[in-house]
Amino acid sequence: MSDATPPPGEPKQQTAGAGARLARHLALYTLARLGLVVVITAAVIGVAWLISVEIPLVVAALFALIIAMPLSLTLFKKLRARVNEDIAVVDAKRRQDKAQLRARLRGNDNPTGSAS
């Protein structure tokens, strides 16, 4: 079954756009997290400059990464929830497509496995 064919009972637009929506939300979430690391890195370097301490960029970036990991879980909660919802939609479609393929391989067209 191709990706363009929606499962029975599911709107075509929702099925066709689920993967694209997931990619868009995942890219946005990733960029937000990377942006947070850049901002925290700049803040660490700025504070170090203000107190006349030299911190290597790699050390500041690693420190920022450690701070950004838990901070992004709270700051970007809505984005993360959207990504999780999109993953669930894509996974449900994948499972349904897999069940339909297995049903066809068994020789029946009913994906639930019961004989009609």
Side-chain angles (χ1 to χ4, degrees), residues 21-110:
R21 194 172 54 247
L22 172 61
R24 184 176 61 246
H25 287 151
L26 190 59
L28 185 61
Y29 181 60
T30 301
L31 287 175
R33 289 185 75 180
L34 287 174
L36 182 62
V37 170
V38 169
V39 167
I40 294 173
T41 300
V44 167
I45 290 176
V47 168
W49 180 77
L50 285 175
I51 60 174
S52 300
V53 175
E54 190 173 327
I55 295 179
L57 180 64
V58 173
V59 173
L62 288 174
F63 188 65
L65 188 63
I66 291 170
I67 293 172
M69 280 184 207
L71 192 59
S72 68
L73 291 177
T74 56
L75 290 178
F76 307 127
K77 188 175 187 175
K78 288 182 182 178
L79 279 172
R80 190 170 37 89
R82 280 191 236 149
V83 169
N84 289 341
E85 290 169 3
D86 293 338
I87 288 172
V89 169
V90 169
D91 191 43
K93 182 189 178 313
R94 182 193 57 80
R95 272 191 248 115
Q96 187 175 15
D97 289 347
K98 187 176 179 180
Q100 287 175 348
L101 177 62
R102 286 187 176 175
R104 283 187 295 194
L105 288 173
R106 283 192 308 265
N108 58 1
D109 290 330
N110 189 353

